Amino acid sequence: MAENPKVIVAMGSESDLPVAQTTVEELERLEIQFEVRVVSAHRSPDAVVEMAGSAEGRGVQVIIAIAGGAAHLAGAIAAHTALPVIGVPAATQRMGGLDSLFSTVQMPGGVPVACVGLGRSGAQNAAVLAAQILAVGDPDIRSRLGALKARLESHVTAQDAKVRQWLLERTQA
Ligand code: RP5
């Protein structure tokens, strides 16, 4: 766990860990100091208030909140801090995550929660968006984000070459 975390990755239950893992991996790749917590808007509300209320004083700059179902975690955190909060709705068995999505994004005016989508790409993008927020005042993170963009581009360029070759071989067969 980082000594001076810039990001907190909070999840409502240990069962959200598979989603959180994707966020954590991207934060590690971007070399961002973070810590991970399990705090629940409904099961440990006092811990949510304590974590959110003390984050800014500890030097945290962004909070990522992962939760499913009646996913009030991101909103409950946003109620207790002026730090940017990014919500990641976790998929659920009954409604596929639509319940989590609506619970996360439908915030009252004045208390925003940024939400970048469900699933693996949502969990990854929460980390990237957190990095982009930090990068406003940190050129090192900005340069690591530049490297990420370059990696994404070369990955797609390689896919393009592969698919073009596939089509060539198909037409020659
Ligand atoms: C939410 O309820 C958690 O974020 C989790 O996604 C969901 C189910 O939690 P468990 O019953 O698996 O602990 O609070």
Side-chain angles (χ1 to χ4, degrees), residues 19-105:
V19 182
Q21 192 172 332
T22 302
T23 304
V24 159
E25 284 166 2
E26 191 60 51
L27 289 172
E28 284 171 346
R29 270 193 293 273
L30 290 164
E31 298 172 48
I32 288 167
Q33 304 264 85
F34 65 92
E35 71 177 21
V36 176
R37 299 286 309 274
V38 177
V39 287
S40 166
H42 308 116
R43 293 167 174 159
S44 66
D46 292 345
V48 172
V49 173
E50 199 284 321
M51 187 206 74
S54 63
E56 193 169 347
R58 298 175 54 224
V60 172
Q61 293 182 26
V62 184
I63 301 177
I64 296 172
I66 300 162
H72 298 134
L73 182 58
I77 292 170
H80 294 282
T81 181
L83 292 174
V85 178
I86 304 169
V88 181
T92 53
Q93 302 230 318
R94 280 186 214 95
M95 296 181 203
L98 207 54
D99 45 352
S100 322
L101 175 66
F102 289 159
S103 304
T104 300
V105 298

Side-chain angles (χ1 to χ4, degrees), residues 49-170:
V49 173
E50 199 284 321
M51 187 206 74
S54 63
E56 193 169 347
R58 298 175 54 224
V60 172
Q61 293 182 26
V62 184
I63 301 177
I64 296 172
I66 300 162
H72 298 134
L73 182 58
I77 292 170
H80 294 282
T81 181
L83 292 174
V85 178
I86 304 169
V88 181
T92 53
Q93 302 230 318
R94 280 186 214 95
M95 296 181 203
L98 207 54
D99 45 352
S100 322
L101 175 66
F102 289 159
S103 304
T104 300
V105 298
Q106 294 296 348
M107 291 295 292
V111 192
V113 164
C115 179
V116 283
L118 285 145
R120 276 183 68 81
S121 58
Q124 179 190 11
N125 280 349
V128 176
L129 180 58
Q132 289 173 330
I133 293 168
L134 296 172
V136 170
D138 188 325
D140 290 341
I141 297 177
R142 203 157 47 240
S143 125
R144 292 200 283 276
L145 283 166
L148 168 65
K149 294 265 185 225
R151 276 201 305 279
L152 291 173
E153 184 175 4
S154 68
H155 185 60
V156 172
T157 304
Q159 287 181 341
D160 182 44
K162 198 169 146 197
V163 169
R164 283 152 67 103
Q165 180 63 28
W166 167 79
L167 185 61
L168 188 66
E169 286 168 13
R170 193 182 151 85

Side-chain angles (χ1 to χ4, degrees), residues 12-13 15-16 43 66-68 90:
S13 166
S15 65
D16 297 317
R43 293 167 174 159
I66 300 162

